[in-house]
Amino acid sequence: MVTTESLLAFAAMSLVVIAIPGPSVLFVVGRALAHGRRTALATVLGNLLGCYALVLAVALGLGALVQSSATVFTAVKLAGAAYLVYLGVQASATVTACEPT
């Protein structure tokens, strides 16, 4: 049985975590300020679809596989790092192309 103290501590921490905006919220706000409402809504939709894909992968057992295998976990980390590098290169190319000559 959960004690009242534990329940109150959990409720307080849940409130704090919910009140603090995460990276997704900050990203959407940044996109809204830079590009407008339509782009922000598309960003929200993309984030939602990404979250659903993650939930689906875990529901299918991929989370347990990644947790149990160091090789698979390393492969996922390296794939994520490679994707971040790709996004950085794309963003850099976009900024360079937009600069006046």
Side-chain angles (χ1 to χ4, degrees), residues 11-69:
M13 285 307 299
S14 296
L15 180 64
V16 169
V17 169
I18 290 170
I20 297 172
S24 295
V25 172
L26 296 176
F27 181 65
V28 169
V29 169
R31 298 282 289 177
L33 293 173
H35 301 286
R37 181 178 180 203
R38 186 179 187 116
T39 301
L41 290 174
T43 304
V44 169
L45 180 62
N47 187 40
L48 183 65
L49 291 174
C51 288
Y52 280 144
L54 182 60
V55 168
L56 180 64
V58 171
L60 293 173
L62 291 177
L65 174 66
V66 171
Q67 182 181 9
S68 65
S69 172

Short mmCIF file of all heavy atoms in Angstrom, two decimals, residues 11-69:
data_model
loop_
_atom_site.label_atom_id
_atom_site.label_comp_id
_atom_site.label_asym_id
_atom_site.label_seq_id
_atom_site.Cartn_x
_atom_site.Cartn_y
_atom_site.Cartn_z
N ALA A 11 2.67 13.34 -6.24
CA ALA A 11 1.79 14.35 -6.82
C ALA A 11 2.54 15.68 -6.99
O ALA A 11 2.41 16.35 -8.02
CB ALA A 11 0.56 14.54 -5.95
N ALA A 12 3.34 16.05 -5.99
CA ALA A 12 4.10 17.31 -6.07
C ALA A 12 5.11 17.26 -7.20
O ALA A 12 5.25 18.21 -7.98
CB ALA A 12 4.79 17.59 -4.74
N MET A 13 5.84 16.16 -7.31
CA MET A 13 6.84 16.04 -8.38
C MET A 13 6.17 15.98 -9.75
O MET A 13 6.69 16.53 -10.72
CB MET A 13 7.71 14.79 -8.17
CG MET A 13 8.73 14.96 -7.07
SD MET A 13 9.76 16.43 -7.24
CE MET A 13 10.57 16.11 -8.79
N SER A 14 5.03 15.32 -9.84
CA SER A 14 4.30 15.27 -11.12
C SER A 14 3.89 16.67 -11.55
O SER A 14 4.00 17.02 -12.73
CB SER A 14 3.07 14.38 -10.98
OG SER A 14 3.44 13.06 -10.72
N LEU A 15 3.43 17.47 -10.61
CA LEU A 15 3.03 18.84 -10.92
C LEU A 15 4.22 19.65 -11.42
O LEU A 15 4.11 20.39 -12.41
CB LEU A 15 2.41 19.50 -9.68
CG LEU A 15 1.93 20.93 -9.87
CD1 LEU A 15 0.79 20.98 -10.88
CD2 LEU A 15 1.49 21.52 -8.55
N VAL A 16 5.37 19.49 -10.78
CA VAL A 16 6.57 20.22 -11.20
C VAL A 16 6.99 19.79 -12.60
O VAL A 16 7.29 20.63 -13.46
CB VAL A 16 7.72 20.00 -10.18
CG1 VAL A 16 9.04 20.50 -10.73
CG2 VAL A 16 7.39 20.67 -8.86
N VAL A 17 7.01 18.49 -12.85
CA VAL A 17 7.43 17.98 -14.16
C VAL A 17 6.47 18.43 -15.26
O VAL A 17 6.90 18.79 -16.36
CB VAL A 17 7.58 16.44 -14.12
CG1 VAL A 17 7.74 15.88 -15.51
CG2 VAL A 17 8.74 16.04 -13.24
N ILE A 18 5.20 18.44 -14.97
CA ILE A 18 4.21 18.86 -15.97
C ILE A 18 4.30 20.36 -16.24
O ILE A 18 4.14 20.81 -17.37
CB ILE A 18 2.78 18.47 -15.51
CG1 ILE A 18 2.63 16.96 -15.57
CG2 ILE A 18 1.72 19.16 -16.33
CD1 ILE A 18 1.37 16.43 -14.92
N ALA A 19 4.60 21.15 -15.20
CA ALA A 19 4.64 22.61 -15.35
C ALA A 19 5.87 23.09 -16.11
O ALA A 19 5.84 24.15 -16.73
CB ALA A 19 4.58 23.27 -13.97
N ILE A 20 6.96 22.32 -16.08
CA ILE A 20 8.19 22.73 -16.76
C ILE A 20 8.11 22.32 -18.23
O ILE A 20 7.94 21.15 -18.53
CB ILE A 20 9.42 22.07 -16.10
CG1 ILE A 20 9.55 22.54 -14.65
CG2 ILE A 20 10.69 22.39 -16.88
CD1 ILE A 20 10.62 21.81 -13.88
N PRO A 21 8.24 23.28 -19.14
CA PRO A 21 8.18 22.90 -20.56
C PRO A 21 9.41 22.09 -20.96
O PRO A 21 10.53 22.40 -20.58
CB PRO A 21 8.12 24.24 -21.29
CG PRO A 21 8.72 25.21 -20.34
CD PRO A 21 8.44 24.70 -18.95
N GLY A 22 9.17 21.06 -21.73
CA GLY A 22 10.26 20.22 -22.20
C GLY A 22 10.80 20.71 -23.53
O GLY A 22 10.37 21.73 -24.06
N PRO A 23 11.73 19.97 -24.10
CA PRO A 23 12.32 20.39 -25.36
C PRO A 23 11.31 20.45 -26.51
O PRO A 23 11.43 21.29 -27.39
CB PRO A 23 13.40 19.34 -25.63
CG PRO A 23 13.21 18.26 -24.64
CD PRO A 23 12.33 18.77 -23.56
N SER A 24 10.30 19.60 -26.48
CA SER A 24 9.30 19.63 -27.55
C SER A 24 8.52 20.94 -27.52
O SER A 24 8.28 21.55 -28.56
CB SER A 24 8.33 18.46 -27.40
OG SER A 24 8.99 17.25 -27.58
N VAL A 25 8.12 21.36 -26.32
CA VAL A 25 7.37 22.60 -26.20
C VAL A 25 8.23 23.78 -26.62
O VAL A 25 7.79 24.66 -27.36
CB VAL A 25 6.86 22.79 -24.75
CG1 VAL A 25 6.23 24.16 -24.57
CG2 VAL A 25 5.87 21.69 -24.40
N LEU A 26 9.48 23.80 -26.18
CA LEU A 26 10.37 24.89 -26.55
C LEU A 26 10.62 24.91 -28.05
O LEU A 26 10.69 25.99 -28.66
CB LEU A 26 11.68 24.77 -25.77
CG LEU A 26 11.56 24.91 -24.26
CD1 LEU A 26 12.89 24.69 -23.59
CD2 LEU A 26 10.98 26.27 -23.88
N PHE A 27 10.74 23.74 -28.67
CA PHE A 27 10.93 23.67 -30.11
C PHE A 27 9.71 24.22 -30.85
O PHE A 27 9.85 24.99 -31.80
CB PHE A 27 11.21 22.22 -30.53
CG PHE A 27 11.45 22.05 -32.00
CD1 PHE A 27 12.55 22.63 -32.62
CD2 PHE A 27 10.58 21.31 -32.78
CE1 PHE A 27 12.78 22.48 -33.98
CE2 PHE A 27 10.79 21.15 -34.14
CZ PHE A 27 11.89 21.73 -34.73
N VAL A 28 8.52 23.85 -30.41
CA VAL A 28 7.29 24.33 -31.06
C VAL A 28 7.17 25.84 -30.91
O VAL A 28 6.84 26.55 -31.87
CB VAL A 28 6.05 23.62 -30.48
CG1 VAL A 28 4.77 24.29 -30.95
CG2 VAL A 28 6.05 22.15 -30.87
N VAL A 29 7.47 26.36 -29.72
CA VAL A 29 7.41 27.81 -29.51
C VAL A 29 8.42 28.52 -30.41
O VAL A 29 8.09 29.54 -31.03
CB VAL A 29 7.63 28.15 -28.02
CG1 VAL A 29 7.82 29.64 -27.82
CG2 VAL A 29 6.48 27.65 -27.18
N GLY A 30 9.61 27.98 -30.50
CA GLY A 30 10.63 28.58 -31.37
C GLY A 30 10.20 28.57 -32.83
O GLY A 30 10.39 29.57 -33.55
N ARG A 31 9.62 27.47 -33.27
CA ARG A 31 9.14 27.39 -34.67
C ARG A 31 7.99 28.37 -34.89
O ARG A 31 7.89 28.98 -35.96
CB ARG A 31 8.68 25.97 -35.00
CG ARG A 31 9.77 24.92 -34.92
CD ARG A 31 10.67 24.93 -36.09
NE ARG A 31 9.97 24.43 -37.26
CZ ARG A 31 10.48 24.38 -38.46
NH1 ARG A 31 11.70 24.77 -38.66
NH2 ARG A 31 9.78 23.93 -39.46
N ALA A 32 7.12 28.51 -33.90
CA ALA A 32 6.00 29.44 -34.03
C ALA A 32 6.49 30.88 -34.15
O ALA A 32 5.99 31.64 -34.98
CB ALA A 32 5.05 29.30 -32.84
N LEU A 33 7.48 31.23 -33.33
CA LEU A 33 8.00 32.59 -33.39
C LEU A 33 8.76 32.86 -34.69
O LEU A 33 8.69 33.95 -35.24
CB LEU A 33 8.91 32.85 -32.19
CG LEU A 33 8.21 32.87 -30.82
CD1 LEU A 33 9.24 32.97 -29.71
CD2 LEU A 33 7.21 34.01 -30.75
N ALA A 34 9.47 31.85 -35.18
CA ALA A 34 10.28 32.05 -36.38
C ALA A 34 9.49 31.92 -37.67
O ALA A 34 9.77 32.62 -38.64
CB ALA A 34 11.44 31.05 -36.38
N HIS A 35 8.50 31.01 -37.69
CA HIS A 35 7.84 30.69 -38.96
C HIS A 35 6.33 30.83 -38.95
O HIS A 35 5.70 30.66 -39.99
CB HIS A 35 8.20 29.26 -39.39
CG HIS A 35 9.67 29.06 -39.55
ND1 HIS A 35 10.38 29.56 -40.61
CD2 HIS A 35 10.57 28.43 -38.77
CE1 HIS A 35 11.65 29.24 -40.49
NE2 HIS A 35 11.80 28.55 -39.37
N GLY A 36 5.72 31.03 -37.81
CA GLY A 36 4.28 31.23 -37.77
C GLY A 36 3.50 30.03 -37.28
O GLY A 36 4.04 28.96 -36.99
N ARG A 37 2.19 30.25 -37.21
CA ARG A 37 1.29 29.27 -36.62
C ARG A 37 1.20 27.96 -37.41
O ARG A 37 1.21 26.88 -36.84
CB ARG A 37 -0.10 29.89 -36.51
CG ARG A 37 -1.11 28.99 -35.89
CD ARG A 37 -2.44 29.69 -35.76
NE ARG A 37 -3.40 28.79 -35.15
CZ ARG A 37 -4.68 28.91 -35.29
NH1 ARG A 37 -5.18 29.90 -36.01
NH2 ARG A 37 -5.49 28.06 -34.71
N ARG A 38 1.12 28.07 -38.72
CA ARG A 38 0.98 26.87 -39.55
C ARG A 38 2.17 25.92 -39.37
O ARG A 38 2.00 24.72 -39.23
CB ARG A 38 0.83 27.28 -41.01
CG ARG A 38 0.54 26.14 -41.93
CD ARG A 38 0.39 26.64 -43.36
NE ARG A 38 -0.04 25.58 -44.20
CZ ARG A 38 -1.19 25.54 -44.84
NH1 ARG A 38 -2.03 26.53 -44.74
NH2 ARG A 38 -1.49 24.52 -45.60
N THR A 39 3.37 26.46 -39.37
CA THR A 39 4.57 25.64 -39.18
C THR A 39 4.60 25.05 -37.78
O THR A 39 4.99 23.90 -37.59
CB THR A 39 5.83 26.48 -39.42
OG1 THR A 39 5.78 26.99 -40.75
CG2 THR A 39 7.09 25.67 -39.25
N ALA A 40 4.17 25.83 -36.78
CA ALA A 40 4.13 25.33 -35.41
C ALA A 40 3.16 24.15 -35.29
O ALA A 40 3.46 23.15 -34.63
CB ALA A 40 3.75 26.43 -34.44
N LEU A 41 2.01 24.26 -35.93
CA LEU A 41 1.03 23.16 -35.89
C LEU A 41 1.58 21.92 -36.60
O LEU A 41 1.36 20.79 -36.15
CB LEU A 41 -0.30 23.59 -36.49
CG LEU A 41 -1.08 24.62 -35.66
CD1 LEU A 41 -2.31 25.09 -36.41
CD2 LEU A 41 -1.45 24.05 -34.30
N ALA A 42 2.29 22.11 -37.70
CA ALA A 42 2.91 20.97 -38.38
C ALA A 42 3.98 20.34 -37.48
O ALA A 42 4.14 19.12 -37.47
CB ALA A 42 3.52 21.43 -39.70
N THR A 43 4.69 21.16 -36.73
CA THR A 43 5.70 20.66 -35.79
C THR A 43 5.05 19.84 -34.69
O THR A 43 5.56 18.78 -34.30
CB THR A 43 6.50 21.83 -35.20
OG1 THR A 43 7.07 22.58 -36.27
CG2 THR A 43 7.59 21.35 -34.27
N VAL A 44 3.92 20.31 -34.18
CA VAL A 44 3.18 19.56 -33.15
C VAL A 44 2.74 18.21 -33.71
O VAL A 44 2.88 17.18 -33.05
CB VAL A 44 1.97 20.37 -32.64
CG1 VAL A 44 1.06 19.51 -31.78
CG2 VAL A 44 2.43 21.59 -31.86
N LEU A 45 2.23 18.21 -34.91
CA LEU A 45 1.79 16.96 -35.55
C LEU A 45 2.97 16.00 -35.73
O LEU A 45 2.87 14.81 -35.44
CB LEU A 45 1.12 17.24 -36.89
CG LEU A 45 0.63 16.02 -37.66
CD1 LEU A 45 -0.45 15.28 -36.87
CD2 LEU A 45 0.12 16.41 -39.02
N GLY A 46 4.09 16.51 -36.19
CA GLY A 46 5.28 15.67 -36.36
C GLY A 46 5.76 15.10 -35.03
O GLY A 46 6.14 13.93 -34.94
N ASN A 47 5.75 15.91 -33.99
CA ASN A 47 6.15 15.44 -32.66
C ASN A 47 5.20 14.36 -32.16
O ASN A 47 5.62 13.34 -31.61
CB ASN A 47 6.20 16.61 -31.69
CG ASN A 47 6.76 16.22 -30.35
OD1 ASN A 47 7.71 15.45 -30.27
ND2 ASN A 47 6.18 16.75 -29.30
N LEU A 48 3.92 14.56 -32.38
CA LEU A 48 2.91 13.59 -31.97
C LEU A 48 3.10 12.26 -32.70
O LEU A 48 3.07 11.19 -32.08
CB LEU A 48 1.51 14.14 -32.22
CG LEU A 48 0.34 13.28 -31.78
CD1 LEU A 48 0.33 13.13 -30.27
CD2 LEU A 48 -0.96 13.89 -32.26
N LEU A 49 3.32 12.32 -34.00
CA LEU A 49 3.53 11.09 -34.76
C LEU A 49 4.81 10.38 -34.32
O LEU A 49 4.85 9.14 -34.24
CB LEU A 49 3.59 11.41 -36.26
CG LEU A 49 2.27 11.85 -36.89
CD1 LEU A 49 2.49 12.28 -38.34
CD2 LEU A 49 1.23 10.75 -36.79
N GLY A 50 5.85 11.15 -34.01
CA GLY A 50 7.08 10.55 -33.50
C GLY A 50 6.87 9.86 -32.16
O GLY A 50 7.39 8.76 -31.92
N CYS A 51 6.11 10.49 -31.29
CA CYS A 51 5.80 9.87 -29.99
C CYS A 51 4.99 8.59 -30.16
O CYS A 51 5.25 7.59 -29.50
CB CYS A 51 5.06 10.86 -29.10
SG CYS A 51 6.08 12.21 -28.49
N TYR A 52 4.02 8.63 -31.06
CA TYR A 52 3.22 7.42 -31.31
C TYR A 52 4.08 6.30 -31.90
O TYR A 52 3.90 5.13 -31.57
CB TYR A 52 2.05 7.72 -32.24
CG TYR A 52 0.87 8.35 -31.55
CD1 TYR A 52 0.09 9.30 -32.17
CD2 TYR A 52 0.52 7.99 -30.25
CE1 TYR A 52 -0.99 9.88 -31.55
CE2 TYR A 52 -0.55 8.58 -29.61
CZ TYR A 52 -1.31 9.52 -30.26
OH TYR A 52 -2.38 10.10 -29.63
N ALA A 53 5.02 6.64 -32.77
CA ALA A 53 5.92 5.63 -33.33
C ALA A 53 6.77 5.00 -32.24
O ALA A 53 6.98 3.78 -32.22
CB ALA A 53 6.82 6.25 -34.41
N LEU A 54 7.23 5.81 -31.30
CA LEU A 54 8.01 5.30 -30.18
C LEU A 54 7.17 4.38 -29.30
O LEU A 54 7.62 3.29 -28.90
CB LEU A 54 8.58 6.46 -29.36
CG LEU A 54 9.46 6.10 -28.18
CD1 LEU A 54 10.68 5.32 -28.65
CD2 LEU A 54 9.88 7.34 -27.44
N VAL A 55 5.96 4.78 -29.00
CA VAL A 55 5.06 3.94 -28.19
C VAL A 55 4.78 2.63 -28.91
O VAL A 55 4.79 1.56 -28.29
CB VAL A 55 3.75 4.70 -27.87
CG1 VAL A 55 2.69 3.77 -27.30
CG2 VAL A 55 4.03 5.84 -26.91
N LEU A 56 4.55 2.68 -30.20
CA LEU A 56 4.29 1.48 -30.97
C LEU A 56 5.49 0.54 -30.96
O LEU A 56 5.36 -0.67 -30.78
CB LEU A 56 3.91 1.84 -32.42
CG LEU A 56 3.60 0.67 -33.34
CD1 LEU A 56 2.37 -0.08 -32.86
CD2 LEU A 56 3.39 1.18 -34.76
N ALA A 57 6.69 1.10 -31.11
CA ALA A 57 7.91 0.27 -31.10
C ALA A 57 8.08 -0.42 -29.75
O ALA A 57 8.41 -1.61 -29.68
CB ALA A 57 9.13 1.13 -31.41
N VAL A 58 7.83 0.31 -28.67
CA VAL A 58 7.95 -0.29 -27.33
C VAL A 58 6.87 -1.34 -27.13
O VAL A 58 7.12 -2.41 -26.57
CB VAL A 58 7.89 0.81 -26.25
CG1 VAL A 58 7.78 0.21 -24.86
CG2 VAL A 58 9.13 1.69 -26.34
N ALA A 59 5.65 -1.07 -27.61
CA ALA A 59 4.56 -2.03 -27.46
C ALA A 59 4.85 -3.32 -28.23
O ALA A 59 4.42 -4.40 -27.82
CB ALA A 59 3.25 -1.41 -27.95
N LEU A 60 5.59 -3.22 -29.32
CA LEU A 60 5.93 -4.40 -30.10
C LEU A 60 7.13 -5.15 -29.54
O LEU A 60 7.54 -6.17 -30.09
CB LEU A 60 6.20 -4.01 -31.56
CG LEU A 60 4.99 -3.51 -32.33
CD1 LEU A 60 5.40 -3.00 -33.70
CD2 LEU A 60 3.94 -4.60 -32.45
N GLY A 61 7.72 -4.64 -28.47
CA GLY A 61 8.81 -5.35 -27.81
C GLY A 61 10.19 -4.86 -28.14
O GLY A 61 11.18 -5.43 -27.67
N LEU A 62 10.31 -3.82 -28.94
CA LEU A 62 11.63 -3.33 -29.30
C LEU A 62 12.34 -2.69 -28.12
O LEU A 62 13.57 -2.72 -28.04
CB LEU A 62 11.53 -2.35 -30.46
CG LEU A 62 11.13 -2.97 -31.79
CD1 LEU A 62 10.99 -1.89 -32.86
CD2 LEU A 62 12.12 -4.02 -32.23
N GLY A 63 11.59 -2.13 -27.19
CA GLY A 63 12.20 -1.54 -25.99
C GLY A 63 12.92 -2.59 -25.16
O GLY A 63 14.04 -2.37 -24.69
N ALA A 64 12.29 -3.75 -25.00
CA ALA A 64 12.92 -4.84 -24.23
C ALA A 64 14.15 -5.37 -24.95
O ALA A 64 15.16 -5.70 -24.32
CB ALA A 64 11.91 -5.96 -24.00
N LEU A 65 14.09 -5.43 -26.28
CA LEU A 65 15.23 -5.90 -27.06
C LEU A 65 16.42 -4.95 -26.92
O LEU A 65 17.55 -5.38 -26.68
CB LEU A 65 14.85 -6.03 -28.54
CG LEU A 65 15.98 -6.38 -29.50
CD1 LEU A 65 16.50 -7.78 -29.21
CD2 LEU A 65 15.52 -6.26 -30.93
N VAL A 66 16.16 -3.66 -27.04
CA VAL A 66 17.22 -2.66 -26.91
C VAL A 66 17.79 -2.68 -25.49
O VAL A 66 19.00 -2.55 -25.30
CB VAL A 66 16.71 -1.26 -27.29
CG1 VAL A 66 17.71 -0.17 -26.95
CG2 VAL A 66 16.35 -1.21 -28.77
N GLN A 67 16.93 -2.87 -24.50
CA GLN A 67 17.38 -2.90 -23.12
C GLN A 67 18.26 -4.11 -22.83
O GLN A 67 19.23 -4.03 -22.09
CB GLN A 67 16.18 -2.90 -22.17
CG GLN A 67 16.57 -2.87 -20.71
CD GLN A 67 15.35 -2.91 -19.80
OE1 GLN A 67 14.23 -3.12 -20.25
NE2 GLN A 67 15.57 -2.68 -18.53
N SER A 68 17.94 -5.23 -23.43
CA SER A 68 18.66 -6.47 -23.11
C SER A 68 19.93 -6.68 -23.94
O SER A 68 20.75 -7.49 -23.57
CB SER A 68 17.73 -7.67 -23.28
OG SER A 68 17.37 -7.81 -24.64
N SER A 69 20.08 -5.96 -25.04
CA SER A 69 21.23 -6.19 -25.91
C SER A 69 22.09 -4.93 -26.01
O SER A 69 21.64 -3.90 -26.54
CB SER A 69 20.76 -6.58 -27.31
OG SER A 69 21.85 -6.63 -28.20
#
